[in-house]
Amino acid sequence: MVKVLDTILSQSAYSAEIDVPFEKIDIADWLFTLPEAEYLRCCPPDHIAAGVTWTDDSRRMSINVEQIGSGLVVQHYVAEVAEPAYCRMNSISDVFTANGRTQVNVVWELIAEKIDDGRTRYTNKVTAHPTDVFMAFLSEHSIKFEDAAAARQAAGGDHNRRETPLFAASIARRALSK
């Protein structure tokens, strides 16, 4: 059992405005019908693979494989909330580094907000928390938490900054195709 700590390892939120009425946006529909090729276009070259599945207890899941900084990350996002204007996804993510494999808890929030009758703001918020496995990994490799957090903040923030406008454009294309 992986215990997630309340400590924040990294956090970033970026927004992009799209020329689509709020009422046409359905983030949950977009997320759970996203073709892998479209996912790859949303943050090249970092995005590697994506798919959707279900947990054993029938909750929707999005599996994302991506390079974030020097780590290869396999996200196992389980939907805690999956609505047209808000999704909250939670993952115990496997991270493969030069020092070996570890895990972090990542919460991904996808948020749509009405700006006016024809425009919507999309916000992509990502918060990473250390797990007990991650803390043991740091100790085993004599890595200070502060150093790991700074590296994750820089890499995760850069990744989120680049993918947010591309996610927003993809969400807009999906909304306009319906």
Side-chain angles (χ1 to χ4, degrees):
M1 180 75 170
V2 176
K3 178 185 169 196
V4 177
L5 303 174
D6 291 334
T7 305
I8 291 178
L9 179 60
S10 65
Q11 186 172 58
S12 66
Y14 290 91
S15 297
E17 295 181 7
I18 51 179
D19 293 324
V20 176
F22 174 78
E23 294 74 22
K24 286 189 166 228
I25 299 295
D26 190 335
I27 294 173
D29 173 70
W30 170 80
L31 180 60
F32 293 108
T33 62
L34 182 66
E36 183 177 62
E38 180 70 358
Y39 174 76
L40 299 179
R41 287 188 286 271
C42 287
C43 196
D46 297 2
H47 286 183
I48 298 166
V52 294
T53 189
W54 300 88
T55 64
D56 284 344
D57 60 356
S58 300
R59 292 178 292 158
R60 289 192 280 187
M61 251 180 113
S62 173
I63 306 293
N64 301 339
V65 180
E66 53 193 349
Q67 186 79 32
I68 299 178
S70 62
L72 178 67
V73 185
V74 180
Q75 317 273 17
H76 311 267
Y77 285 115
V78 177
E80 294 180 340
V81 179
E83 299 171 350
Y86 179 71
C87 289
R88 179 183 166 93
M89 308 296 290
N90 197 325
S91 172
I92 299 299
S93 299
D94 295 300
V95 182
F96 297 86
T97 74
N99 289 326
R101 181 178 178 177
T102 189
Q103 292 181 322
V104 296
N105 174 229
V106 182
V107 177
W108 179 24
E109 294 176 273
L110 303 87
I111 306 156
E113 300 169 287
K114 183 174 185 168
I115 297 172
D116 59 35
D117 287 342
R119 294 180 55 74
T120 301
R121 177 179 301 107
Y122 170 71
T123 300
N124 200 58
K125 182 177 179 182
V126 181
T127 305
H129 302 275
T131 62
D132 287 347
V133 171
F134 183 80
M135 296 306 284
F137 178 86
L138 294 183
S139 178
E140 178 183 335
H141 296 285
S142 301
I143 300 169
K144 293 180 184 174
F145 177 81
E146 295 76 14
D147 294 340
R152 172 68 194 205
Q153 182 66 43
D158 174 64
H159 178 86
N160 191 6
R161 176 188 56 77
R162 290 182 291 115
E163 78 182 351
T164 297
L166 299 174
F167 277 161
S170 179
I171 291 166
R173 282 190 298 277
R174 174 73 178 168
L176 294 173
S177 75
K178 298 179 109 189

